[in-house]
Amino acid sequence: MTIHFGTDGWRAVISDTFTFHNLRLVTQAIADAVASDQWLNGLGEGMNVDPRTMVVGFDTRFLSDRFAQEVARVLAANGFTVYLSQADAPTPAISFAVRHLGAIGGVMITASHNAPRYNGVKLKAAFGGSASPEQCRRVEIYLNDNEAQGRGPNLMDYEQARQLKLIQRFNPIPAYGDHLRHLIDFDAIAENPQRIVVDSMYGSGRGVIRSLLQGTGCEVFEIRGEMNPGFGGVHPEPIARYLGALAGAISTGAGNFGLATDGDADRIGAMDERGNFVDPHKIMALALRYLVEKRGLRGAVVRTVSTTRMIDRLAARYGLPLYETPVGFNHIADHMLREDVLIGGEESGGISFKGHIPEGDGILMGLLIVEMVAQSGGTLVELVDSLLQDVGPAYYERKDMRLRHPVSKEKMTARLRDEAPAQIGGESVVQVSTLDGVKYILADDSWLLIRPSGTEPVLRVYAEGRSPDMVRALLAYGENVANQMT
């Protein structure tokens, strides 16, 4: 069966591979894996975990609610008590519910920021974050073994499961909101209320930021908050190219700055009052500076290999340990589970900080942006400008360059390492990292990351420079590498 779990579950095209039949098979494998003695493998230490309780949630995609019911039916038939969300909800709210309810795991029906034709399964562990690679591999083992034995899924009638209380509908938002109120200073926000545009991108974060800010005096104007499984024809990803509607709302005076969350609200993007996109690099750097300087917090800093080195400069200033990880929030979560982490994040917009679950959370970070602006007494433009004057300048761009044929990730990495240039754009290459792809770090702290895709003929090229000219030079080098591969 061509079903494989990546770093955060399984995604596929609806009615092609993502079908009710295949979803039942996957859910049966999840039930088998979760019920096995090796499932927790130390990941639930110190937690009061009920081995027969699971949480299931879903986003706003086509048929997500129906798919979630099927997952609940299979889990109930396997003897689990299932808490099934009453309505679409953010992934971090479902993940928090797993930990809050003491469940052994959870399933979120979502394809996150992917195109509307996709849906997927995010598998959650008892600690409230993504299941580990080992746990995902265990699901694949059961999936293949069940297929080999011709073992179909157990299935219980939905109404019968409801009567037996094996499926219980619940609202994950109240408990999640109460938790966020311990992490965000709503009193500070109320002392300097903001005018904000929230772009939910038709995703399952719709209405959440607006409702949590009620009572603070903030004026929140939400766009793209209605149910639209087609996401208006765009990817529900909070990056500049998909946020024209947000820029338009700000330009007409609907708010002084904007917040955007992706399809399942685990990613954040922002926009200042001038319509400039504030990317996750700047958001994470602003958050780190604020948490240390204004809140007086300490702890390790964790970022992925593709995230800005403004983070490094700030961590060095504050004397905080810094860890660089491969791409994927699960690597950040590993650190958050093992040690005292102040903040962890990645360039795609998944960021979390101390006191929260080890998972990216667009709702949390959106509220923190509101708090930061309120506390500053100024504007988001002024905050970003001060950051760049402080630890910048930093210009960033990413390009995905398609190859004519797939290349071996291992061979490409070895070649890029062995043929590392002496300089790019007039700056010498002082370090070569092969943590995830190949990263060339230059003398002026600019960097170029080239990551061959392991699943398609694509080179992902990331560049951060101290000037626009340096970014262009870095991307040109990456493009030349891609052309040599064709």
Side-chain angles (χ1 to χ4, degrees), residues 7 133 302 304 325-336 338 436:
T7 56
V302 188
T304 56
T325 73
V327 172
F329 203 92
N330 59 311
H331 301 291
I332 297 169
D334 289 343
H335 285 278
M336 296 182 78
R338 290 197 309 264
D436 186 354

Side-chain angles (χ1 to χ4, degrees), residues 260-272:
T261 53
D262 71 326
D264 65 332
D266 64 351
R267 296 184 176 191
I268 185 67
M271 191 167 285
D272 67 25

Side-chain angles (χ1 to χ4, degrees), residues 40 43-50 53-56 83 91-107 124-130 170 172 175-176 178-180 182-183 333 336-337 339 352-359 361 364:
L40 288 177
L43 290 176
E45 288 184 6
M47 298 173 56
N48 185 18
V49 176
D50 184 344
T53 296
M54 291 283 287
V55 175
V56 177
Y83 286 87
T91 286
I94 296 300
S95 296
F96 177 76
V98 171
R99 196 175 76 179
H100 179 68
L101 295 170
I104 194 170
V107 174
K124 300 301 172 183
F127 54 79
S130 295
F170 84 115
Y176 171 68
D178 289 344
H179 171 67
L180 295 190
H182 289 95
L183 299 175
M336 296 182 78
L337 290 170
E339 59 195 291
S352 185
F353 62 85
K354 180 180 287 192
H356 197 38
I357 54 176
E359 177 161 278
D361 190 338
L364 171 72

Side-chain angles (χ1 to χ4, degrees), residues 396-451:
Y396 175 86
E397 194 169 340
R398 168 185 165 178
K399 283 189 176 180
D400 289 353
M401 301 179 181
R402 185 157 291 276
L403 307 175
R404 291 181 183 173
H405 53 81
V407 296
S408 164
K409 189 170 184 177
E410 292 74 19
K411 289 182 179 178
M412 170 69 83
T413 299
R415 174 178 170 176
L416 292 172
R417 179 196 63 216
D418 296 341
E419 298 178 4
Q423 62 86 31
I424 303 175
E427 291 285 343
S428 58
V429 175
V430 297
Q431 184 182 346
V432 179
S433 168
T434 57
L435 179 65
D436 186 354
V438 174
K439 186 175 184 178
Y440 302 135
I441 302 167
L442 280 56
D444 70 345
D445 226 20
S446 299
W447 54 268
L448 172 69
L449 172 65
I450 303 175
R451 293 179 60 242

